[in-house]
Amino acid sequence: STLVPYTTLFRSTGTERRGMSVLELRTAPGDMGKIIGRQGRTAAALRTLLAVTAEKHGTRAQLDIKD
């Protein structure tokens, strides 16, 4: 089971901004609601997982969701 059905339209890129890793997430416009989730819960969970993982590795990270 996947979060979005069109994984070929799912793309992520990483950059660095102000000493923080920034992961940019892009997906098909129709899948944006699945990424955001009800009341933003899925997006919040993804951001939390990223932040905790980055902290465990001694760095900081942020998730930007783009349409």
Side-chain angles (χ1 to χ4, degrees):
S1 173
T2 61
L3 187 59
V4 293
Y6 302 107
T7 55
T8 56
L9 299 177
F10 175 88
R11 183 176 50 153
S12 65
T13 57
T15 59
E16 187 144 329
R17 186 183 320 146
R18 289 185 242 150
M20 180 186 312
S21 296
V22 178
L23 183 68
E24 194 172 275
L25 175 70
R26 293 181 185 270
T27 188
D31 292 336
M32 189 57 69
K34 292 177 183 172
I35 295 295
I36 303 285
R38 292 182 186 197
Q39 298 179 344
R41 288 185 184 134
T42 304
L46 289 170
R47 287 186 172 114
T48 300
L49 283 171
L50 179 64
V52 168
T53 302
E55 186 175 325
K56 185 176 180 179
H57 288 83
T59 188
R60 293 177 46 203
Q62 173 183 332
L63 177 65
D64 285 350
I65 300 173
K66 308 279 184 171
D67 57 351

